[in-house]
Amino acid sequence: MIAVLIADDLPLQRLGFRMLLESQDDMTVVGEATGGSEAVRMTAELGPDVVLMDVRMPGLDGVEATRRIVASGGPGRVLILTTFDLDEYAFAGLRAGASGFLVKDAQPGDLLSGIRTVADGNAVVAPSLTRRLLDLYAHRFPVTGPDREPDPRLRSLTERERGVLLCIGQGYSNSEIAERLVLAESTVKTHVGRVLAKIGARDRVQAVIFAYDTGLVTPETR
């Protein structure tokens, strides 16, 4: 069973989510939080597999709640709910460590699929969409320059792994990376797994953000 915590300040929204999720044989709602602080506390107490997190809540918002949940080091993953797929909240949610985001008016099937995907340890949002989103807000990333100390995690990568990370950051799928680097797709999968482990990324979305953070990928990189 996938244990889900719903975090939303609107009672009708929470009720709708609960009814949908509990209609599934493989999901159960372990709790409902009405704000960010409560979501952080209940995540620590209940240990859900997935936190369905609204970003706009009074008091502690969903972005900061996501940051605290991820920083706690627990196994629970956060799925952000936002209004538009390329808005500032989606960007902030991914930067805070969310494993993906969905628009609030997503089809029920898309929401359920997203929860299952996150529970399996994968990212919901495609790397290509992450790339588009980060391009829009790249001016908020740390400034890179010759005087900035390179991230030691980047230095730990082999030349091949660095090339794979560059492709991930550019939004390419495994099959596209295999074609660009002239590798078998199974080999690419192995390299991707090693890259994620070395840089400490939970999924490909976080790997894309890491590539931007370290200056490996910029909006001009094509």
Side-chain angles (χ1 to χ4, degrees):
M1 295 289 286
I2 301 172
V4 181
L5 173 67
I6 300 170
D8 197 301
D9 62 317
L10 300 178
L12 285 179
Q13 190 80 69
R14 295 197 305 274
L15 177 61
F17 286 144
R18 176 180 282 276
M19 291 177 64
L20 174 63
L21 301 185
E22 293 194 335
S23 70
Q24 305 299 300
D25 293 336
D26 62 339
M27 295 184 188
T28 182
V29 176
V30 295
E32 298 180 15
T34 60
S37 297
E38 192 175 21
V40 174
R41 177 181 59 79
M42 294 181 72
T43 297
E45 292 176 354
L46 302 174
D49 300 305
V50 178
V51 180
L52 201 56
M53 181 79 75
D54 184 26
V55 291
R56 301 184 185 185
M57 294 184 288
L60 192 71
D61 65 24
V63 173
E64 181 57 30
T66 296
R67 185 175 292 108
R68 296 184 187 185
I69 288 171
V70 173
S72 72
R77 294 173 179 267
V78 179
L79 181 57
I80 288 282
L81 294 175
T82 186
T83 306
F84 302 104
D85 61 358
L86 289 176
D87 70 3
E88 182 176 354
Y89 290 102
F91 165 80
L94 294 182
R95 291 280 288 158
S99 292
F101 63 85
L102 290 172
V103 292
K104 295 195 75 171
D105 60 354
Q107 294 295 315
D110 292 336
L111 177 63
L112 295 172
S113 176
I115 292 172
R116 292 186 178 103
T117 299
V118 169
D120 284 339
N122 299 308
V124 170
V125 60
S128 58
L129 182 56
T130 305
R131 171 69 194 268
R132 287 171 53 205
L133 180 67
L134 298 187
D135 276 354
L136 288 175
Y137 296 96
H139 62 280
R140 301 190 183 188
F141 283 77
V143 177
T144 59
D147 297 332
R148 185 183 178 194
E149 187 70 20
D151 191 300
R153 293 172 295 174
L154 192 59
R155 294 201 305 267
S156 73
L157 301 177
T158 66
E159 183 177 352
R160 174 63 76 191
E161 290 166 349
R162 189 182 177 105
V164 170
L165 175 59
L166 175 62
C167 289
I168 294 174
Q170 292 173 326
Y172 293 113
S173 65
N174 282 358
S175 60
E176 291 169 332
I177 295 173
E179 183 177 352
R180 289 175 66 85
L181 300 184
V182 195
L183 296 170
E185 190 168 346
S186 58
T187 301
V188 171
K189 290 180 180 179
T190 299
H191 283 309
V192 169
R194 289 174 179 167
V195 167
L196 296 183
K198 285 187 176 182
I199 67 175
R202 303 181 81 182
D203 48 51
R204 292 174 76 105
V205 167
Q206 299 307 312
V208 175
I209 293 174
F210 176 82
Y212 272 79
D213 267 340
T214 56
L216 183 64
V217 175
T218 67
E220 292 75 31
T221 305
R222 292 292 182 265

